[in-house]
Amino acid sequence: MIKYVTGRLLSMIPVLIGVTIVVFLLAKLIPGDPAQSILGADATPEAIDALREEMGLNDSILSQYGSWLINILQGDLGFSYTLSADIASELLPRFINTLILTAASLFICIVVGVFLGALSAIKNGRLFDKVSMAIAMIGASIPVFWIALMLMWVFSIQINLFPVGGMYNMRNPGGLFDLVSHLVLPAFATATVSIAVIARLSRNTMLETLQKDYIHYFHSFGIADRKINIRHALRNSLPPIINIAGLQVGYILGGALFSEVVFNWPGIGQQLYVAITSNDYAMIQGGILLIAISVVCINALVDILNVALSPKLRDSL
């Protein structure tokens, strides 16, 4: 197991190097001159060229990447000329807010998705199974921003059950209840597609497990169905479900960026939206890099957890 964990962690190094290359080049593909965007349309060519020189934009691409990578390794994400602020100090608090939203969405999609999938498998072919899987199929094909707008319209505007947006009440902020009440709608909007994916996978995995010989063996001894379903069938179905749930983290993070814009959640997605519209290269690079590194680390953690929970995988190492 230790050998596997060490190898899995070492395999992240080339992936992370590739991530930095892709993130750096993606930011360069954004149309427009960042120096021109910062100084405005009335800026003189001399002023624009001076700012480009200060930002290092006149250097070769390879030189720019090398300098940027060295700074990243030293914990320096760069300086935002648009905000006149250090990028790390701007992004890290927002990154934490995004992680809060992502964690809540992941919790919702695992609990709701596994519950729906497992119950559908137990009630295979009945009305609940057909209705829940039909809803899951529809939910998997709806864009996050549309779900977010519909949830806001129904639960905030029509019945005034949850706040329209933000992270806390602006007039009287504070308290866990205040945070949760603002978190419910964006978390559900972000989790909807993943709930559908996990529910369908959980149902299929649970159905396969329920057909195993040892499950019929337990039934022949008169053991209660609830005990067999939860203790044996659901427990043995968990490794592939955990694996797919881990793969959903990247999708949830991407969906969280849309939810943040719709619900005005002060996360990294909202900051990236502003950075993209203002050609703030350094902020875009820093934001995407934080998200990409998070996805790589979480996927590695899921792989390790999956092996730790599965005796078959451990034996095959």
Side-chain angles (χ1 to χ4, degrees):
M1 189 64 191
I2 294 176
K3 184 180 178 182
Y4 171 78
V5 173
T6 305
R8 187 64 183 83
L9 294 178
L10 289 176
S11 70
M12 291 170 57
I13 295 176
V15 176
L16 291 175
I17 293 174
V19 164
T20 61
I21 295 173
V22 172
V23 169
F24 179 80
L25 293 178
L26 278 178
K28 295 297 180 186
L29 292 177
I30 297 175
D33 187 339
Q36 176 78 68
S37 300
I38 293 168
L39 295 176
D42 298 330
T44 63
E46 292 77 12
I48 293 173
D49 191 60
L51 184 56
R52 287 182 60 84
E53 186 68 26
E54 182 181 340
M55 296 172 69
L57 297 175
N58 290 332
D59 298 337
S60 66
I61 290 291
L62 191 60
S63 175
Q64 290 182 48
Y65 171 72
S67 301
W68 178 71
L69 185 59
I70 290 172
N71 290 334
I72 292 295
L73 292 174
Q74 295 173 345
D76 180 9
L77 293 177
F79 184 81
S80 170
Y81 287 86
T82 304
L83 300 177
S84 297
D86 180 66
I87 290 176
S89 63
E90 290 290 323
L91 279 184
L92 289 180
R94 290 178 173 273
F95 185 57
I96 293 172
N97 294 340
T98 296
L99 289 182
I100 292 173
L101 176 57
T102 302
S105 302
L106 185 64
F107 176 78
I108 290 171
C109 78
I110 290 176
V111 172
V112 178
V114 172
F115 175 78
L116 285 179
L119 198 56
S120 294
I122 293 170
K123 298 182 178 297
N124 183 29
R126 300 180 189 174
L127 180 62
F128 179 86
D129 178 33
K130 294 176 180 177
V131 172
S132 61
M133 287 301 104
I135 293 174
M137 186 178 293
I138 296 172
S141 58
I142 298 178
V144 172
F145 70 89
W146 189 86
I147 297 172
L149 289 172
M150 289 299 101
L151 289 175
M152 177 188 287
W153 182 73
V154 174
F155 294 102
S156 297
I157 298 175
Q158 295 300 318
I159 59 178
N160 196 27
L161 187 60
F162 295 104
V164 174
M167 191 170 177
Y168 291 103
N169 190 321
M170 295 296 290
R171 294 181 178 176
N172 186 24
L176 182 61
F177 180 78
D178 189 21
L179 171 63
V180 172
S181 65
H182 285 79
L183 184 59
V184 170
L185 291 186
F188 262 103
T190 306
T192 302
V193 175
S194 295
I195 288 175
V197 173
I198 292 177
R200 291 171 64 83
L201 176 81
S202 300
R203 178 184 179 275
N204 295 337
T205 307
M206 188 82 172
L207 277 176
E208 290 179 8
T209 308
L210 289 173
Q211 300 302 319
K212 299 288 186 183
D213 291 339
Y214 66 87
I215 296 295
H216 296 303
Y217 181 75
F218 289 141
H219 281 297
S220 67
F221 275 86
I223 301 175
D225 289 348
R226 179 178 296 181
K227 188 174 181 180
I228 295 174
N229 292 332
I230 295 176
R231 181 173 294 183
H232 301 286
L234 181 58
R235 183 179 178 183
N236 290 325
S237 301
L238 283 180
I241 296 173
I242 292 173
N243 195 29
I244 199 68
L247 295 177
Q248 288 298 306
V249 172
Y251 188 88
I252 290 174
L253 261 174
L257 306 186
F258 291 101
S259 295
E260 288 177 6
V261 174
V262 173
F263 288 100
N264 197 28
W265 184 267
I268 205 168
Q270 193 185 59
Q271 186 62 50
L272 275 176
Y273 175 75
V274 175
I276 291 172
T277 55
S278 58
N279 280 348
D280 193 341
Y281 279 7
M283 184 67 78
I284 296 169
Q285 289 170 334
I288 297 177
L289 184 66
L290 280 179
I291 294 172
I293 290 175
S294 301
V295 172
V296 172
C297 293
I298 290 171
N299 283 338
L301 182 63
V302 170
D303 287 346
I304 294 171
L305 186 62
N306 205 20
V307 171
L309 291 176
S310 174
K312 289 183 179 178
L313 292 176
R314 283 203 308 272
D315 294 340
S316 64
L317 295 178

mmCIF file with all atom_site columns, all heavy atoms in Angstrom, residues 243-256:
data_model
loop_
_atom_site.group_PDB
_atom_site.id
_atom_site.type_symbol
_atom_site.label_atom_id
_atom_site.label_alt_id
_atom_site.label_comp_id
_atom_site.label_asym_id
_atom_site.label_entity_id
_atom_site.label_seq_id
_atom_site.pdbx_PDB_ins_code
_atom_site.Cartn_x
_atom_site.Cartn_y
_atom_site.Cartn_z
_atom_site.occupancy
_atom_site.B_iso_or_equiv
_atom_site.pdbx_formal_charge
_atom_site.auth_seq_id
_atom_site.auth_comp_id
_atom_site.auth_asym_id
_atom_site.auth_atom_id
_atom_site.pdbx_PDB_model_num
ATOM 1  N N   . ASN A 1 243 ? -15.243 6.054  -6.543  1.00 0.00 ? 243 ASN A N   1
ATOM 2  C CA  . ASN A 1 243 ? -14.380 6.397  -7.676  1.00 0.00 ? 243 ASN A CA  1
ATOM 3  C C   . ASN A 1 243 ? -15.044 7.412  -8.595  1.00 0.00 ? 243 ASN A C   1
ATOM 4  O O   . ASN A 1 243 ? -14.454 8.426  -8.970  1.00 0.00 ? 243 ASN A O   1
ATOM 5  C CB  . ASN A 1 243 ? -14.045 5.116  -8.450  1.00 0.00 ? 243 ASN A CB  1
ATOM 6  C CG  . ASN A 1 243 ? -12.893 5.330  -9.399  1.00 0.00 ? 243 ASN A CG  1
ATOM 7  O OD1 . ASN A 1 243 ? -12.026 6.161  -9.152  1.00 0.00 ? 243 ASN A OD1 1
ATOM 8  N ND2 . ASN A 1 243 ? -12.873 4.591  -10.490 1.00 0.00 ? 243 ASN A ND2 1
ATOM 9  N N   . ILE A 1 244 ? -16.305 7.169  -8.945  1.00 0.00 ? 244 ILE A N   1
ATOM 10 C CA  . ILE A 1 244 ? -16.997 8.092  -9.855  1.00 0.00 ? 244 ILE A CA  1
ATOM 11 C C   . ILE A 1 244 ? -17.302 9.406  -9.141  1.00 0.00 ? 244 ILE A C   1
ATOM 12 O O   . ILE A 1 244 ? -17.317 10.475 -9.767  1.00 0.00 ? 244 ILE A O   1
ATOM 13 C CB  . ILE A 1 244 ? -18.289 7.439  -10.405 1.00 0.00 ? 244 ILE A CB  1
ATOM 14 C CG1 . ILE A 1 244 ? -18.753 8.179  -11.670 1.00 0.00 ? 244 ILE A CG1 1
ATOM 15 C CG2 . ILE A 1 244 ? -19.387 7.441  -9.377  1.00 0.00 ? 244 ILE A CG2 1
ATOM 16 C CD1 . ILE A 1 244 ? -17.855 8.030  -12.831 1.00 0.00 ? 244 ILE A CD1 1
ATOM 17 N N   . ALA A 1 245 ? -17.540 9.359  -7.824  1.00 0.00 ? 245 ALA A N   1
ATOM 18 C CA  . ALA A 1 245 ? -17.774 10.594 -7.067  1.00 0.00 ? 245 ALA A CA  1
ATOM 19 C C   . ALA A 1 245 ? -16.525 11.464 -7.089  1.00 0.00 ? 245 ALA A C   1
ATOM 20 O O   . ALA A 1 245 ? -16.605 12.687 -7.218  1.00 0.00 ? 245 ALA A O   1
ATOM 21 C CB  . ALA A 1 245 ? -18.176 10.264 -5.627  1.00 0.00 ? 245 ALA A CB  1
ATOM 22 N N   . GLY A 1 246 ? -15.359 10.828 -6.989  1.00 0.00 ? 246 GLY A N   1
ATOM 23 C CA  . GLY A 1 246 ? -14.116 11.594 -7.063  1.00 0.00 ? 246 GLY A CA  1
ATOM 24 C C   . GLY A 1 246 ? -13.924 12.231 -8.418  1.00 0.00 ? 246 GLY A C   1
ATOM 25 O O   . GLY A 1 246 ? -13.473 13.382 -8.519  1.00 0.00 ? 246 GLY A O   1
ATOM 26 N N   . LEU A 1 247 ? -14.298 11.492 -9.468  1.00 0.00 ? 247 LEU A N   1
ATOM 27 C CA  . LEU A 1 247 ? -14.178 12.061 -10.811 1.00 0.00 ? 247 LEU A CA  1
ATOM 28 C C   . LEU A 1 247 ? -15.159 13.212 -11.015 1.00 0.00 ? 247 LEU A C   1
ATOM 29 O O   . LEU A 1 247 ? -14.943 14.061 -11.886 1.00 0.00 ? 247 LEU A O   1
ATOM 30 C CB  . LEU A 1 247 ? -14.437 10.967 -11.853 1.00 0.00 ? 247 LEU A CB  1
ATOM 31 C CG  . LEU A 1 247 ? -13.420 9.822  -11.876 1.00 0.00 ? 247 LEU A CG  1
ATOM 32 C CD1 . LEU A 1 247 ? -13.823 8.765  -12.894 1.00 0.00 ? 247 LEU A CD1 1
ATOM 33 C CD2 . LEU A 1 247 ? -12.024 10.349 -12.204 1.00 0.00 ? 247 LEU A CD2 1
ATOM 34 N N   . GLN A 1 248 ? -16.233 13.240 -10.238 1.00 0.00 ? 248 GLN A N   1
ATOM 35 C CA  . GLN A 1 248 ? -17.210 14.315 -10.370 1.00 0.00 ? 248 GLN A CA  1
ATOM 36 C C   . GLN A 1 248 ? -16.728 15.621 -9.749  1.00 0.00 ? 248 GLN A C   1
ATOM 37 O O   . GLN A 1 248 ? -17.317 16.679 -9.991  1.00 0.00 ? 248 GLN A O   1
ATOM 38 C CB  . GLN A 1 248 ? -18.530 13.900 -9.691  1.00 0.00 ? 248 GLN A CB  1
ATOM 39 C CG  . GLN A 1 248 ? -19.309 12.842 -10.447 1.00 0.00 ? 248 GLN A CG  1
ATOM 40 C CD  . GLN A 1 248 ? -19.745 13.319 -11.817 1.00 0.00 ? 248 GLN A CD  1
ATOM 41 O OE1 . GLN A 1 248 ? -20.371 14.356 -11.959 1.00 0.00 ? 248 GLN A OE1 1
ATOM 42 N NE2 . GLN A 1 248 ? -19.394 12.562 -12.840 1.00 0.00 ? 248 GLN A NE2 1
ATOM 43 N N   . VAL A 1 249 ? -15.669 15.552 -8.934  1.00 0.00 ? 249 VAL A N   1
ATOM 44 C CA  . VAL A 1 249 ? -15.198 16.768 -8.259  1.00 0.00 ? 249 VAL A CA  1
ATOM 45 C C   . VAL A 1 249 ? -14.791 17.830 -9.283  1.00 0.00 ? 249 VAL A C   1
ATOM 46 O O   . VAL A 1 249 ? -15.108 19.018 -9.125  1.00 0.00 ? 249 VAL A O   1
ATOM 47 C CB  . VAL A 1 249 ? -14.012 16.444 -7.327  1.00 0.00 ? 249 VAL A CB  1
ATOM 48 C CG1 . VAL A 1 249 ? -13.405 17.724 -6.784  1.00 0.00 ? 249 VAL A CG1 1
ATOM 49 C CG2 . VAL A 1 249 ? -14.474 15.576 -6.177  1.00 0.00 ? 249 VAL A CG2 1
ATOM 50 N N   . GLY A 1 250 ? -14.120 17.401 -10.338 1.00 0.00 ? 250 GLY A N   1
ATOM 51 C CA  . GLY A 1 250 ? -13.724 18.359 -11.369 1.00 0.00 ? 250 GLY A CA  1
ATOM 52 C C   . GLY A 1 250 ? -14.929 18.999 -12.019 1.00 0.00 ? 250 GLY A C   1
ATOM 53 O O   . GLY A 1 250 ? -14.947 20.217 -12.244 1.00 0.00 ? 250 GLY A O   1
ATOM 54 N N   . TYR A 1 251 ? -15.956 18.185 -12.285 1.00 0.00 ? 251 TYR A N   1
ATOM 55 C CA  . TYR A 1 251 ? -17.171 18.729 -12.898 1.00 0.00 ? 251 TYR A CA  1
ATOM 56 C C   . TYR A 1 251 ? -17.879 19.675 -11.925 1.00 0.00 ? 251 TYR A C   1
ATOM 57 O O   . TYR A 1 251 ? -18.386 20.731 -12.326 1.00 0.00 ? 251 TYR A O   1
ATOM 58 C CB  . TYR A 1 251 ? -18.097 17.588 -13.303 1.00 0.00 ? 251 TYR A CB  1
ATOM 59 C CG  . TYR A 1 251 ? -19.269 18.053 -14.118 1.00 0.00 ? 251 TYR A CG  1
ATOM 60 C CD1 . TYR A 1 251 ? -19.175 18.154 -15.508 1.00 0.00 ? 251 TYR A CD1 1
ATOM 61 C CD2 . TYR A 1 251 ? -20.459 18.424 -13.510 1.00 0.00 ? 251 TYR A CD2 1
ATOM 62 C CE1 . TYR A 1 251 ? -20.245 18.607 -16.250 1.00 0.00 ? 251 TYR A CE1 1
ATOM 63 C CE2 . TYR A 1 251 ? -21.529 18.882 -14.254 1.00 0.00 ? 251 TYR A CE2 1
ATOM 64 C CZ  . TYR A 1 251 ? -21.411 18.967 -15.626 1.00 0.00 ? 251 TYR A CZ  1
ATOM 65 O OH  . TYR A 1 251 ? -22.466 19.438 -16.363 1.00 0.00 ? 251 TYR A OH  1
ATOM 66 N N   . ILE A 1 252 ? -17.909 19.289 -10.650 1.00 0.00 ? 252 ILE A N   1
ATOM 67 C CA  . ILE A 1 252 ? -18.576 20.139 -9.649  1.00 0.00 ? 252 ILE A CA  1
ATOM 68 C C   . ILE A 1 252 ? -17.846 21.478 -9.518  1.00 0.00 ? 252 ILE A C   1
ATOM 69 O O   . ILE A 1 252 ? -18.469 22.540 -9.428  1.00 0.00 ? 252 ILE A O   1
ATOM 70 C CB  . ILE A 1 252 ? -18.635 19.409 -8.297  1.00 0.00 ? 252 ILE A CB  1
ATOM 71 C CG1 . ILE A 1 252 ? -19.618 18.241 -8.385  1.00 0.00 ? 252 ILE A CG1 1
ATOM 72 C CG2 . ILE A 1 252 ? -19.049 20.354 -7.189  1.00 0.00 ? 252 ILE A CG2 1
ATOM 73 C CD1 . ILE A 1 252 ? -19.639 17.361 -7.151  1.00 0.00 ? 252 ILE A CD1 1
ATOM 74 N N   . LEU A 1 253 ? -16.517 21.424 -9.531  1.00 0.00 ? 253 LEU A N   1
ATOM 75 C CA  . LEU A 1 253 ? -15.751 22.682 -9.461  1.00 0.00 ? 253 LEU A CA  1
ATOM 76 C C   . LEU A 1 253 ? -16.077 23.564 -10.656 1.00 0.00 ? 253 LEU A C   1
ATOM 77 O O   . LEU A 1 253 ? -16.244 24.784 -10.519 1.00 0.00 ? 253 LEU A O   1
ATOM 78 C CB  . LEU A 1 253 ? -14.255 22.364 -9.431  1.00 0.00 ? 253 LEU A CB  1
ATOM 79 C CG  . LEU A 1 253 ? -13.582 22.365 -8.068  1.00 0.00 ? 253 LEU A CG  1
ATOM 80 C CD1 . LEU A 1 253 ? -12.137 21.896 -8.194  1.00 0.00 ? 253 LEU A CD1 1
ATOM 81 C CD2 . LEU A 1 253 ? -13.639 23.735 -7.414  1.00 0.00 ? 253 LEU A CD2 1
ATOM 82 N N   . GLY A 1 254 ? -16.164 22.951 -11.846 1.00 0.00 ? 254 GLY A N   1
ATOM 83 C CA  . GLY A 1 254 ? -16.511 23.731 -13.035 1.00 0.00 ? 254 GLY A CA  1
ATOM 84 C C   . GLY A 1 254 ? -17.916 24.300 -12.937 1.00 0.00 ? 254 GLY A C   1
ATOM 85 O O   . GLY A 1 254 ? -18.151 25.457 -13.285 1.00 0.00 ? 254 GLY A O   1
ATOM 86 N N   . GLY A 1 255 ? -18.850 23.479 -12.430 1.00 0.00 ? 255 GLY A N   1
ATOM 87 C CA  . GLY A 1 255 ? -20.218 23.963 -12.269 1.00 0.00 ? 255 GLY A CA  1
ATOM 88 C C   . GLY A 1 255 ? -20.320 25.043 -11.211 1.00 0.00 ? 255 GLY A C   1
ATOM 89 O O   . GLY A 1 255 ? -21.138 25.968 -11.326 1.00 0.00 ? 255 GLY A O   1
ATOM 90 N N   . ALA A 1 256 ? -19.480 24.943 -10.174 1.00 0.00 ? 256 ALA A N   1
ATOM 91 C CA  . ALA A 1 256 ? -19.506 25.956 -9.108  1.00 0.00 ? 256 ALA A CA  1
ATOM 92 C C   . ALA A 1 256 ? -19.168 27.341 -9.656  1.00 0.00 ? 256 ALA A C   1
ATOM 93 O O   . ALA A 1 256 ? -19.681 28.353 -9.167  1.00 0.00 ? 256 ALA A O   1
ATOM 94 C CB  . ALA A 1 256 ? -18.527 25.572 -8.007  1.00 0.00 ? 256 ALA A CB  1
#
